[in-house]
Amino acid sequence: MKLNVDGLLVYFPYDYIYPEQFSYMLELKRALDAKGHCLLEMPSGTGKTTTLLSLIVAYMKAHPLDLTKLVYCSRTVPEIEKVMEELRKLMNYYEKEMGMEQNILGLALSSRKNLCIHPSVSKEREGKVVDGRCYSLTASFVRARHAADDAVPICDFYEGFDAHGKEFPLPPGVYNLDDLKEYGQMKRWCPYFLARHTIIHANIVVYSYHYLLDPKIAEVVSKEISKTSVVVFDEAHNIDNVCIDSMSVKITKRLLDKCSNSITILETTISNMKENDSKRLEKEYKRLVEGLRDATIARETDMALVNPVLPSEVLEEAVPGTIRTAEHFIAFLKRVVEYIKTRLRVQQVVQESPAGFLRDIHTKVCIDRKPLRFTAERLASLIRTLEISDLTDFSPLVTVSHFATLVSTYTKGFTIIIEPFEDRAPTVSNPILYFSCLDSSIAIKPVFNRFQTVVITSGTLSPLDMYPKILDFHPVIMTSFTMTLARPCILPMIVSKGNDQVAMSSRYETREDTAVIRNYGNLLVEVAAAVPDGIVCFFTSYLYLETIVSSWYDQGIIDQLQRHKLLFIETQDAAETSLALINYIKACDNGRGAVLLSVARGKVSEGIDFDHHLGRAVLMFGIPYVYTQSRILRARLEYLRDQFQIRENDFLTFDAMRHAAQCLGRCMRGKTDYGIMVLADKRFSRADKRSKLPKWIQEHLKDTNCNLSTEECVQICKRWLRQMAQPFSREDQLGISLLTLEQLQSEEMQKKIQQRAQGV
Amino acid sequence: MADEDETKEYRWESGYEKTWEAIKEDDDGLLESNVADLVARAKRKRAALKATGAIQLGMMRHLFVVVDASACMFLQDLKPTRFLCVLKLLEVFVHEFFDLNPISQLGILTTKMKRSEQITVLAGNQKKHIEALQHLKDLSCEGEPSLQNSLERAMNGLKNMPAHSSREILVLFGSLTTCDPGDIQKTIKSLKDNNIRVSIIGLAAEVRICREIAKKTGGTYNVLIDDHHLKELILSQVQPPAVAGSIEASLVKMGFPGGTPTLNDGTSDSSADHAPAYCLCHIDSETSSLMGPNGYNCPQCGSRYCELPVECKQCGLTLVSAPHLARSYHHLFPIKPFVERAQVPDATHCFACAKLFVEAETNVYECENCNQIVCLDCDLFIRETLHTCPGCASDPVTAQMKTN
């Protein structure tokens, strides 16, 4: 249908629209008009993706100069594919309505592993291996060698792309990963490089977060994306962690040993080259003297996205003399690696600021800050010059060089923690150096600065005001939408006590208490007896899950449970977990029913949807606080308190509640779906926790359901399940939670939508 | 349910019932109009469901009723227990079933301890079934049910029934889980291949596999809200369903046993018809006695039966009487659903019961054929019981049209 969103004609590819989708469009349009950033929360299953796409595409068509490109960042490959399907639907609708081909090019980009069509390379399973082998077939020097000697293998697809693909742009249309591969097969062009090349002039690009947030990748892939783009981060509730991870480095002893090996390889290659081809090294030297001037020019003209790993000082200056020649640089690297090795030889935990680290490295091995800062660039240059084709060997060394550059560039927002052993096994020596980013705004800052509109959206972003603080930006729009429903299809409940009136809580003091564990067990057994098909339970940690399951076993609760449903448990092993998941789904499909015990923050809680019968109930045992004894977390909390005035407790609660909300949201994937959400901890009913749940859950959490015992909870479940099982058709939804165009345009509905927009 | 009062549990034993939550105030803060509205809507909905129009109906039904007898049937959310409540309602169902579908047959299965047991075989004799149901009351419910086993067993019984009959299974399922020996999908597929329709009534909550079975085999799946709703759901199965489509119309051979059993004056054409004989329905039982001259004789082989309708044990002929067929007849020509109208000013009273229309009644119903206006209760009565419109029947013109 065609909608009028605040004066903008929007083509919406469905006949019906949810009222919140319309409100979402209104807010998004305002943000685009203001050319500012926005933060939007809308429950999962209400069609965020299609709403975003249809509004932004319409905006691009109406204001082609103001908005040229949409960059849609999603988390996983299946999610990317879903976005592409929605986009295809939208474009088909445009074509049908306008009666002509649309001049819009949308494509998905993923790693080489997902896009390679080379007959042997594409068989590889591991992403790194595919990257390495691809590099060894397509690097410029390999191709030069091939020109001289036919025996050197190259990739035909890349050659094809290089010869023709660059002149002929991809015809307009929507290309998902398979389409790209097919097109590549047909033209015999490499789909990966074709996609990367096309990004520059495509109108809509869909890829993973890392292409924009991870500075190492963003440098290669995304730097030429124009300023007048809108960037969308979907499922962005964990965006701060992604930012931090992309800037953090973890160095173990094994990694350093590998580094030493790589350095020896480099050394021998250099000496070989010196004998055969000393000119090349000279050329490199000259280039280094001139400095990284090209990069400076690019940055001045605002062509590129600023790379946070490559600080601006590096660009302005020439590479310092001490590491300019290859041998000197190798010696320098050796010193750095040896120094880190000595630092790892510690007996107790060391925490240190980057400044302290720099002072120490200066006094111990006489390395200045300046050359350290150039390490990453210098190493990259050396590897290029030496024409080393197998990059996989050097990744440990690259990690160390990134560490060196980062530690010398940023004195604020980072910390160094050296732990001699893991907390769980204090007798086994396993020293690890964490170079941990404390400030999530560092990695995302260039994105906010460069693009005119950045949209951060997810099903669970509450409390909204935390994100602008920790990401350090100023949104123009910040809204949380609720879900209009024709029937109360979520049932959140806080169960605070067992039938014996003993309070249930995962508090540290009481978590070992058998009465609490037994009450948790009884709750699960009774819910399992009353709820059909699938039930998913979340625990606060793997450790807690294990202790609880073992005491349930002793108490005979597992036996009782298995009378009603089969039992599956998530473990830290990914293969084991996916096997458990497959069988869980099978058990639900066959009507046997199943219970899945899993962990908040685990794989299950983040990526897997339990729609309809797969998740009729979600039980949250305890509040999923992050492990507060971790030193990295403590350092981050301290930093947040000092820099952003966020109290420790606030951040911890925020973090716990967003994960709880994420877990609860697993069972609700659309308006025809329904699910029970049980929060089994007394502390959930406190106002500070309750108010941090997303609005769409809070709305259904009645005061009467906030302090229930097990028995009361099961009673409510039973009645509610019977209500939900009654026939429910589209007609029941129409006019309330689902609108036709006429209904949308009716005055009454417009008034409601206006109210909703003003209410927030 | 007469004995319900005796076994009724104490108020504090039952669950928390927040009866006040079902009631909402209307704009004026009144409750009455709202409640009336709810009731009327529910009634109409039921009526609308039945108005299927003129489609081919499977009047000759072969139905297996599967009763869940697993541990969860002892729960007391239906009074006195789920199991007893279901059995009680089934008795009513069996009675109604044979009343409305006189030429059909019925069988009963139970499932417990992951197994399935046959209680009665497919037969047209309602007394036997009701007797069996009464015996079931002493059965102890235990273990888990098995959907697959009971469906397979019912399927084996139905497979060999003639192609022109409608094959159905009705499952009353209290459990939320089923413990099956193999892949239930295969069972669903063969049910579908055999044209067997499975309808399921859930007693607790929506179970996905039940919905799937019902959907794939063309049956219905419903979950009850309370015992009144359950009764409604069970009785809605009494109406013959529309034929799945692939069944071709075919001629069925039937026997109409001659003579009236009460007549003893010898006016019948053949004296052999009324000679004392053993009736075949009771020949197996110990207490069988020589029947008097009363009874029905199969016109094909001459076997004696004391009740109709029945399938002749000797020669397999279906024996019915003309009124039986006539009772099934109205299924073929259901009356057109009446149109809902807002209060018509010139109609002051219901045509059928002569009740005056008052303010509280918002809607009245009009027959499209004779344009007579009736009230909601009469509308339902006409549709469910009478099966003929009093307006049309009393008007000589339309009545003539109908017979033509």
Side-chain angles (χ1 to χ4, degrees), chain B residues 276-290:
Chain B
Y278 283 106
C279 90
L280 278 185
C281 355
H282 296 99
I283 198 127
D284 298 333
S285 59
E286 300 275 315
T287 55
S288 69
S289 57
L290 198 66

Side-chain angles (χ1 to χ4, degrees), chain A residues 176-245:
Chain A
N176 64 16
L177 299 178
D178 286 335
D179 296 336
L180 280 171
K181 276 195 201 172
E182 208 173 284
Y183 187 78
Q185 255 334 335
M186 192 184 74
K187 295 264 184 186
R188 304 205 61 76
W189 294 348
C190 173
Y192 174 74
F193 284 97
L194 178 69
R196 268 189 41 189
H197 177 72
T198 314
I199 280 185
I200 301 161
H201 65 262
N203 304 86
I204 295 159
V205 180
V206 183
Y207 56 35
S208 144
Y209 279 16
H210 298 279
Y211 288 100
L212 214 51
L213 290 182
D214 192 331
K216 294 151 238 163
I217 311 174
E219 168 73 3
V220 186
V221 178
S222 311
K223 67 174 179 183
E224 281 171 45
I225 292 177
S226 85
K227 215 173 143 43
T228 52
S229 305
V230 51
V231 176
V232 176
F233 289 105
D234 197 2
E235 301 290 331
H237 45 271
N238 263 344
I239 195 166
D240 55 322
N241 291 336
V242 177
C243 292
I244 282 177
D245 287 345

Side-chain angles (χ1 to χ4, degrees), chain A residues 533 592 674 719 722 726, chain B residues 16 77 177 203 206 208 223:
Chain A
D533 298 328
R592 181 70 183 93
Y674 61 90
R719 194 175 36 240
R722 284 185 176 162
Q726 299 313 310
Chain B
Y16 305 95
D77 50 358
T177 172
L203 305 182
E206 180 186 341
R208 150 80 179 216
V223 178

Side-chain angles (χ1 to χ4, degrees), chain A residues 389-400:
Chain A
S389 53
D390 196 2
L391 268 183
T392 37
D393 277 358
F394 289 94
S395 61
L397 198 56
V398 172
T399 313
V400 171

